[in-house]
Amino acid sequence: FAVRLRARAGPVGLRSAMSDTEITPLKSGRLSALRDALDQGTLRTAHRMVNAMHPADIALLLESLPPAQREIVWEMVDPELEGDVLVELNENVRAGFIEEMGAEELVAATEGLEVDDLADLLDELPETVTQQLLHSMDQRDRERLRTVLSWPEDTAGGLMNTDTVSVRADVPIEVVLRYLRMRGELPEGTDSLFVADRRNRYLGTVPLTRLLTEDPEHLVGDCLDTEAPRIDPSTPAHEVSLLFEDRDLVSAAVVGPEGKLLGRITVDDIVDVIREEAEHSVMSMAGLDEEEDVFAPVVPSARRRLVWLGTNIMTAFLGAFVVSNFEGTIEKVAVLAALLPVVSSMGGIAGTQTVTLLIRGLALGKVEWANARWLLFKEIAVGGLNGIVVATAVAAITLVLFGRWQIAAIIAAAMLMNLLAAAAVGVLIPLALRRLRIDPALSSGVILTAFTDCIGFATLLGLGTLFLM
């Protein structure tokens, strides 16, 4: 049989030396304590606090500090932790540190990283550093790195770790256990051993629990799980995350087109994917990058947001153009101008609810063109029902405020029509954008606002022109 193992470098000694109070979450006060230490000038205390943290906590700490304090804390990070911290940082913050680090420091920081972590950093490193790293790696690790880099970052191949343990089906369990005890370690996140033939073609998995409880004289093939998921390396990352969620997986094999075992994906990688997708959904609706640095300098932050503001200017002027066509109506019935925000805001809110529901359904694979017609009718029915209730309430308030039943009836009709349109547009826009291979979360909000504003304005003012002029 063949066993492939690789030790992961990490601050085990530092973490084991920490007390229970030092392992508390960052939000429980470590950030405040560190800031106090920095303000008081007790840098030795701050240094000890920083290096007692897990690299992920150090990264979160750095992202939570303004640039000046961030540089001070980064200088405190021990060199053996720098590589692991860089992996955990978001891209914008990481790029700033990489730019300031020398070539030798970068090589020293990244030499001990796992292949999949190194693959995430390689594109951001200077060419000279990349070449030094490749020359310092043995042939086997270079091949592993080349395998990971051959796949896009947002696919199973880009996520996978080539650090795997594989065994043959015709080997006694006792021999496998003896060999593993001799090696003394397993790759992190290992819950199963992968079974492959002599040509490294994937056959299935053997859970460690089964391996420990089975008769040692039995062969590995006797407890082989041939139904274990095998993931194609070209599978999109979000589909992999859905598979892990549906099957409650801890790890899964990545298998190439010829059935060869390429690597594995573990749940810790999937947690990162889920977090990134959640951040992307929230941030993209405001035109922001999920890697946006909260404490980035003013000018770069303003430049990134200006693009989205410029796009919204177009939709705002589109609504203004619609209103300008009814100047005569507004001059004679000025109260309609006061009611315009009511119609547009209600349509925008109703449409946003539908769009959010659709984007979530698309992300989870529940919504597609095959069931879109039913969903469209359902959302229109919901919009119509809510429209009747809201229109009645708005009409009653309008009648009390302005005392004219004609205006109350017009705004009620406009409200109902706008909510129906918002429901229809809220379904169709995400589906159309997905068909055009455009991220619905990024563009749906702007398009929806343009539609609901224009439809609401045109309906209210158009009805006012017909019945009040």
Side-chain angles (χ1 to χ4, degrees):
F1 62 95
V3 179
R4 293 190 290 276
L5 292 168
R6 186 173 184 272
R8 175 180 174 86
V12 178
L14 287 172
R15 294 190 68 193
S16 61
M18 295 166 62
S19 67
D20 291 339
T21 56
E22 291 173 320
I23 307 179
T24 56
L26 184 62
K27 64 183 180 181
S28 297
R30 280 187 291 173
L31 180 58
S32 298
L34 181 61
R35 280 178 173 161
D36 291 341
L38 291 174
D39 292 340
Q40 296 170 8
T42 54
L43 298 185
R44 182 174 299 179
T45 301
H47 182 276
R48 186 168 60 252
M49 292 173 60
V50 168
N51 291 286
M53 297 179 184
H54 186 277
D57 289 338
I58 299 176
L60 179 58
L61 170 65
L62 290 168
E63 293 171 3
S64 305
L65 293 172
Q69 290 184 328
R70 185 179 289 170
E71 293 293 335
I72 295 174
V73 173
W74 177 249
E75 292 297 325
M76 297 179 181
V77 178
D78 288 342
E80 63 266 24
L81 294 178
E82 287 182 349
D84 293 292
V85 175
L86 286 174
V87 171
E88 300 291 345
L89 288 169
N90 79 48
E91 291 181 5
N92 291 330
V93 178
R94 181 167 62 215
F97 287 134
I98 289 177
E99 187 176 340
E100 297 296 327
M101 296 172 70
E104 293 184 2
E105 186 180 2
L106 282 171
V107 172
T110 53
E111 273 183 337
L113 295 178
E114 286 194 13
V115 171
D116 59 333
D117 290 336
L118 182 58
D120 293 337
L121 290 178
L122 213 57
D123 288 341
E124 302 176 40
L125 299 177
E127 182 64 25
T128 54
V129 175
T130 300
Q131 293 301 324
Q132 290 184 53
L133 281 172
L134 293 176
H135 286 308
S136 67
M137 299 171 69
D138 58 37
Q139 181 64 28
R140 192 171 192 177
D141 282 343
R142 275 198 298 269
E143 288 297 327
R144 289 176 170 178
L145 183 60
R146 187 175 294 111
T147 299
V148 175
L149 291 175
S150 64
W151 299 98
E153 183 181 359
D154 58 349
T155 64
L159 286 175
M160 73 177 176
N161 189 339
T162 54
D163 181 13
T164 61
V165 178
S166 63
V167 297
R168 306 284 185 247
D170 57 353
V171 174
I173 292 175
E174 182 180 7
V175 176
V176 176
L177 293 174
R178 187 165 61 246
Y179 188 83
L180 293 178
R181 282 194 295 269
M182 181 182 68
R183 293 300 298 246
E185 61 183 350
L186 287 173
E188 291 184 6
T190 299
D191 66 322
S192 301
L193 302 185
F194 298 132
V195 182
D197 62 17
R198 296 185 181 279
R199 296 183 180 180
N200 199 36
R201 288 181 299 191
Y202 177 74
L203 301 177
T205 65
V206 177
L208 289 180
T209 53
R210 182 77 182 275
L211 201 66
L212 293 172
T213 57
E214 191 73 19
D215 188 337
E217 296 182 359
H218 287 178
L219 300 179
V220 170
D222 295 334
C223 50
L224 177 63
D225 179 8
T226 58
E227 300 299 323
R230 55 182 72 196
I231 302 174
D232 187 275
S234 62
T235 305
H238 74 274
E239 292 186 14
V240 179
S241 67
L242 291 177
L243 178 65
F244 268 69
E245 179 185 353
D246 294 339
R247 304 282 189 91
D248 295 327
L249 300 176
V250 175
S251 65
V254 179
V255 181
E258 299 179 356
K260 290 190 175 181
L261 178 63
L262 300 179
R264 68 189 179 113
I265 297 175
T266 52
V267 69
D268 59 316
D269 299 315
I270 298 304
V271 170
D272 292 338
V273 172
I274 295 172
R275 186 194 71 241
E276 290 168 4
E277 288 184 343
E279 291 175 350
H280 173 73
S281 297
V282 173
M283 299 290 279
S284 60
M285 286 186 178
L288 299 174
D289 185 353
E290 62 267 26
E291 296 290 343
E292 179 85 14
D293 180 11
V294 177
F295 294 96
V298 173
V299 173
S301 296
R303 186 170 58 246
R304 294 190 194 102
R305 301 183 194 185
L306 191 59
V307 176
W308 189 253
L309 294 175
T311 304
N312 278 272
I313 288 176
M314 303 300 295
T315 63
F317 272 102
L318 187 60
F321 173 75
V322 173
V323 174
S324 68
N325 289 304
F326 297 93
E327 289 182 0
T329 302
I330 294 175
E331 287 179 1
K332 295 183 179 181
V333 190
V335 68
L336 292 178
L339 297 175
L340 287 175
V342 179
V343 176
S344 64
S345 65
M346 292 303 297
I349 292 172
T352 299
Q353 290 176 333
T354 303
V355 163
T356 302
L357 186 68
L358 261 290
I359 291 175
R360 178 178 178 272
L362 289 170
L364 296 176
K366 296 179 180 179
V367 177
E368 49 192 42
W369 283 103
N371 55 16
R373 178 179 297 182
W374 187 94
L375 194 58
L376 176 62
F377 291 146
K378 178 251 184 179
E379 287 300 314
I380 291 177
V382 171
L385 184 59
N386 284 337
I388 292 172
V389 175
V390 172
T392 302
V394 170
I397 296 172
T398 302
L399 184 60
V400 171
L401 292 177
F402 302 106
R404 298 180 61 181
W405 69 265
Q406 298 95 330
I407 294 178
I410 287 172
I411 193 173
M415 186 72 69
L416 176 59
M417 294 176 66
N418 202 21
L419 262 64
L420 287 170
V425 172
V427 172
L428 296 175
I429 286 176
L431 290 170
L433 291 175
R434 173 61 65 88
R435 175 63 63 89
L436 296 173
R437 300 185 182 279
I438 300 173
D439 185 2
L442 181 62
S443 307
S444 295
V446 176
I447 301 174
L448 173 71
T449 300
F451 269 97
T452 55
D453 284 356
C454 291
I455 293 172
F457 294 159
T459 304
L460 179 64
L461 297 175
L463 291 173
T465 302
L466 287 173
F467 297 103
L468 298 177
M469 296 292 290

